[in-house]
Amino acid sequence: QVQPVESGGGSVQAGGSLRLSCVVSGATGTSACMGWFRQAPGKEREGVALIDGRRAPNYADSAMGRFTISRDNSKNTLYLEMNSLKPEDTAMYYCAAKSFVGCSRTDLSRPDFRYWGRGTQVTVSA
């Protein structure tokens, strides 16, 4: 049973930083696509960043230059380093993973992930 579990969310002021972690128990493959998504109240879920170990990470325009996605396969852990946070980054952040499949070009906008975590809340105050 594969179950992603996120942590690291919290409340910060604008300009601050947070590091999210996601431990993915169970086997998914060291090159399987993993990603971060977020959903703010009243808004649709949106992709933030993807990584699969074969290509360079893929970022949403809103995350480019401020967020960094990485993974430590020895710890089965996915990370999202978030800097220069803005109030519009406030959302529930979700980790997602595929099973032995890499990322596709459409995964940020139309995610096709088998496993999802329950989320960790990020709140950025002005």
Side-chain angles (χ1 to χ4, degrees):
Q1 183 74 16
V2 177
Q3 180 58 60
V5 178
E6 305 94 336
S7 63
S11 297
V12 297
Q13 290 189 327
S17 299
L18 282 173
R19 187 193 196 201
L20 305 184
S21 299
C22 175
V23 178
V24 183
S25 61
T28 58
T30 56
S31 294
C33 186
M34 299 178 74
W36 289 98
F37 296 81
R38 67 186 184 186
Q39 186 167 19
K43 294 187 176 182
E44 293 187 353
R45 182 181 58 192
E46 63 175 348
V48 176
L50 304 174
I51 188 169
D52 66 6
R54 297 183 302 170
R55 305 184 188 91
N58 190 13
Y59 295 93
D61 290 344
S62 59
M64 192 77 70
R66 299 187 301 126
F67 295 1
T68 301
I69 189 171
S70 62
R71 64 195 289 170
D72 185 338
N73 290 328
S74 68
K75 298 180 179 179
N76 296 324
T77 302
L78 178 72
Y79 301 99
L80 185 68
E81 186 77 35
M82 303 188 296
N83 299 311
S84 302
L85 283 162
K86 305 174 182 179
E88 49 264 44
D89 294 318
T90 294
M92 184 71 79
Y93 283 71
Y94 298 92
C95 167
K98 295 191 178 187
S99 180
F100 300 95
V101 177
C103 298
S104 74
R105 297 182 184 278
T106 60
D107 273 329
L108 270 182
S109 58
R110 296 194 301 273
D112 181 18
F113 288 81
R114 183 172 182 179
Y115 307 107
W116 290 85
R118 296 185 177 182
T120 184
Q121 178 67 37
V122 172
T123 302
V124 184
S125 57

